[in-house]
Amino acid sequence: GTVTNKSGRFYLQYDEDKIGGRDRFKISSIGYIPLILTQKELFDTLQKSNTIFLKPSIYKVENAIVSTQNSKKDSIGYSSYTSNLLAYWKNKRALGGEIASLIKVRKENSKLENLKFNIVENTADSIVVRVNLYNKKGKKPDTNFLTKAIYHTISTKKGEEIINLSPYDIIVSEDFIASIELVKVY
């Protein structure tokens, strides 16, 4: 996998011998219909041009009801880092890789204020991640429900990292999957 820069350009290195006839190449971006190509379609497309266009997708936004009655702050997800499970990116080859967690929502219309996670070790000067929030299908991620990309630079070497989500007015009513996707390593 890989990610684009802010202009939508990307570099993807691959070994043609390791791509099978059943493998699929997926290009997706918030606000566009994902494009899924077979090996032949990918190679044919790249022989004609090095530019790939996605079709815009219209998002339906539900009516919002604003109320301050009975509102209180609460944490959802995991409130402590007691798990022995670790997830990591090994090097720049992991661009596009995502570290994700299922978040259980206790109350309808919960506004996401912050995304917090613990960094055990960061050997890079800094890394850029993109936040992805997915509807879930079973226990797996389905579609990203963000309408705008959220980027965050991590320079913390060890300890808690907090991504402020308040400006994005994200309201959730059902369990979802939150991930951070490796975009750039400095």
Side-chain angles (χ1 to χ4, degrees):
T2 190
V3 294
T4 66
N5 64 16
K6 290 182 181 180
S7 302
R9 295 186 178 275
F10 66 92
Y11 174 77
L12 178 64
Q13 185 175 353
Y14 57 90
D15 183 348
E16 289 183 39
D17 296 332
K18 291 185 179 179
I19 299 175
R22 303 182 101 196
D23 291 331
R24 299 293 182 259
F25 179 75
K26 180 178 181 180
I27 302 172
S28 62
S29 181
I30 295 170
Y32 294 87
I33 298 170
L35 177 63
I36 300 172
L37 302 170
T38 65
Q39 172 191 18
K40 182 179 180 342
E41 291 168 334
L42 173 62
F43 295 152
D44 289 348
T45 300
L46 294 176
Q47 291 215 338
K48 294 175 190 169
S49 171
N50 66 352
T51 303
I52 299 172
F53 293 97
L54 298 179
K55 293 179 181 175
S57 175
I58 297 172
Y59 282 89
K60 180 181 177 189
V61 179
E62 299 295 327
N63 294 335
I65 299 171
V66 179
S67 171
T68 58
Q69 294 177 339
N70 301 325
S71 66
K72 82 174 201 188
K73 289 195 177 203
D74 191 10
S75 292
I76 59 175
Y78 303 98
S79 59
S80 64
Y81 308 111
T82 58
S83 173
N84 292 327
L85 297 174
L86 294 176
Y88 64 92
W89 297 295
K90 188 171 180 179
N91 53 34
K92 289 182 182 183
R93 292 182 66 187
L95 289 176
E98 295 182 66
I99 297 173
S101 182
L102 172 65
I103 306 298
K104 298 208 177 257
V105 177
R106 291 189 286 262
K107 279 193 159 186
E108 282 188 346
N109 300 318
S110 295
K111 180 178 180 186
L112 301 183
E113 299 281 335
N114 294 304
L115 177 62
K116 297 180 184 180
F117 50 93
N118 193 41
I119 296 175
V120 176
E121 178 184 34
N122 176 9
T123 58
D125 176 58
S126 60
I127 61 173
V128 177
V129 296
R130 177 177 26 233
V131 174
N132 293 307
L133 303 177
Y134 297 101
N135 294 312
K136 66 183 196 70
K137 192 172 195 175
K139 291 186 177 182
K140 296 185 178 184
D142 191 23
T143 55
N144 189 339
F145 61 83
L146 290 176
T147 56
K148 182 178 181 185
I150 302 173
Y151 292 96
H152 179 77
T153 301
I154 300 172
S155 54
T156 303
K157 298 298 179 197
K158 184 177 184 175
E160 186 176 67
E161 185 72 15
I162 299 172
I163 301 175
N164 181 9
L165 299 178
S166 294
Y168 303 98
D169 292 320
I170 303 166
I171 307 294
V172 294
S173 291
E174 297 178 358
D175 297 352
F176 64 96
I177 295 172
S179 83
I180 52 174
E181 176 184 4
L182 185 61
V183 174
K184 188 148 180 90
V185 177
Y186 294 99

